[in-house]
Amino acid sequence: MDKLAAMRVFVAIVDGGTLTEAARRLGKSLPSVVRSLARLEEALGLRLLERSTRQSYLTPEGRSYYETCCHVLSEIDTAEQDLAAQQGEPAGEVRITAPVEFGNRFVWPCLRDIRERSPGLVPHVTLTDVPLDLVEGGYDLAVRIGPQPDSEMRATVIGEMPTRHCAAPAFLERVGRPERPEDMAGMPAVCVDIAGRRTGQLWPYLDEDGKRRTFRCKAVLYVNEVRMARAACEAGVGLGFFYLYQVHDAIADGRLVSLFEDRRPPPQPVRLIRHAARERPKRVSAAIDALEGALRQALKGLGA
């Protein structure tokens, strides 16, 4: 049995929803698809799918095996694309992950440039504020804001991102404007809690001697998505602490007021992250070159 071929058939069955649809997508006969699945299940010694007359359902073992198959097949396809790309222009899929709003605001314009310069490249972008594991997720490249990642990753600093403590004008009229950064600790706050660990409650600032300090904000609302947190701050629910790009427009048009400009903490580095142990195929090098140059200019334009 050709195990890789059987894995492709299995993935096509799951993605298509039925054996008939899988056969259509693969250009195979229905009996050959049925035989391939049966042989794969027999070789594994377990049942991957529970089948009804109209639809197939993954067993728990089948779901785990499906995820493994997707990863393995993606790695094989990528390796083949890389070998082909070495003979000519950069080509193939480039898997990129970036924070949601940062991706929409800065990465998207870069993708247009990538497509114009290297039409053979196919960007596959995942926007999420949760830091993803590049190895586990099969990503080639990530945009990260914040501390240096672990040593298994190679990082290139492409700019800096300031932060802002801010509040709506109506909130400051109602509650009063804090006189010192420390005063914010006792005021209602909106906490951006991305990974569910409540690390967003610790807000940094500089003390009178210029030393970095933190305080635990008095959260009255936890939100795992920046857009809602910003909307809550604009509505006067509480203070907020954001990266500048997340509130730049709201501050510019007066929906939010930036607090303690002279006491804000140092900006956070913005990095392009990739695997340290891997050679850079042409498709990844082309994406890095395009992103690095464009993002440096965009960050300078933001004032970073």
Side-chain angles (χ1 to χ4, degrees), residues 96 98 102-112 125 143 291 295:
I96 303 167
F102 189 95
N104 282 310
R105 181 163 187 156
F106 300 114
V107 176
W108 159 236
C110 300
L111 296 182
R112 291 180 296 184
V125 184
V143 180
L291 283 172
L295 290 178

Side-chain angles (χ1 to χ4, degrees), residues 11-291:
V11 169
I13 294 170
V14 177
D15 291 345
T18 66
L19 279 74
T20 302
E21 176 61 17
R24 187 192 68 79
R25 293 186 180 190
L26 295 170
K28 297 179 178 291
S29 68
L30 178 59
S32 70
V33 170
V34 173
R35 285 195 301 270
S36 177
L37 176 62
R39 289 170 183 166
L40 182 61
E41 289 181 325
E42 182 180 357
L44 294 172
L46 52 85
R47 198 167 182 82
L48 300 173
L49 293 168
E50 296 293 348
R51 299 177 280 282
S52 66
T53 55
R54 294 189 176 184
Q55 198 167 5
S56 300
Y57 302 90
L58 282 169
T59 63
E61 296 81 6
R63 178 162 297 281
S64 176
Y65 190 65
Y66 169 75
E67 293 172 355
T68 299
C69 287
C70 288
H71 178 71
V72 169
L73 294 173
S74 175
E75 288 291 312
I76 292 173
D77 290 342
T78 297
E80 292 176 348
Q81 291 167 357
D82 289 344
L83 288 174
Q86 291 174 10
Q87 308 304 316
E89 292 297 317
E93 186 175 283
V94 182
R95 293 176 58 83
I96 303 167
T97 179
V100 178
E101 290 203 23
F102 189 95
N104 282 310
R105 181 163 187 156
F106 300 114
V107 176
W108 159 236
C110 300
L111 296 182
R112 291 180 296 184
D113 182 55
I114 289 174
R115 292 290 300 147
E116 290 176 1
R117 292 169 56 176
S118 304
L121 290 180
V122 181
H124 182 149
V125 184
T126 298
L127 297 182
T128 175
D129 292 324
V130 178
L132 300 178
D133 187 302
L134 269 67
V135 176
E136 183 178 338
Y139 293 99
D140 299 301
L141 191 62
V143 180
R144 297 272 173 80
I145 306 173
Q148 168 72 30
D150 60 56
S151 58
E152 295 182 358
M153 297 292 117
R154 182 169 297 170
T156 301
V157 177
I158 57 173
E160 294 182 327
M161 183 58 63
T163 54
R164 291 290 188 273
H165 301 96
C166 52
F171 174 85
L172 297 176
E173 290 179 7
R174 185 178 77 250
V175 179
R177 188 168 186 138
E179 296 182 2
R180 304 173 303 160
E182 300 92 319
D183 296 338
M184 292 188 290
M187 303 174 72
V190 176
C191 177
V192 180
D193 185 29
I194 299 297
R197 297 191 297 268
R198 298 195 176 184
T199 53
Q201 273 192 278
L202 295 176
W203 290 7
Y205 69 98
L206 297 182
D207 65 17
E208 293 180 350
D209 297 323
K211 295 182 179 180
R212 189 180 187 276
R213 307 289 185 185
T214 61
F215 65 86
R216 184 172 295 275
C217 70
K218 181 183 176 182
V220 296
L221 176 65
Y222 292 97
V223 182
N224 73 338
E225 196 263 347
V226 171
R227 183 171 54 179
M228 183 180 288
R230 183 177 56 241
C233 287
E234 291 176 7
V237 173
L239 299 166
F241 180 67
F242 298 92
Y243 288 122
L244 176 58
Y245 77 92
Q246 296 168 341
V247 291
H248 179 272
D249 295 342
I251 292 173
D253 62 22
R255 286 176 285 142
L256 291 174
V257 175
S258 180
L259 303 172
F260 303 109
E261 291 283 341
D262 59 337
R263 302 280 295 277
R264 63 174 183 262
Q268 292 290 316
V270 182
R271 294 182 171 94
L272 287 180
I273 310 294
R274 69 176 183 87
H275 304 279
R278 292 188 178 182
E279 294 296 325
R280 261 171 56 168
K282 291 179 78 172
R283 60 183 176 81
V284 176
S285 292
I288 289 176
D289 291 343
L291 283 172

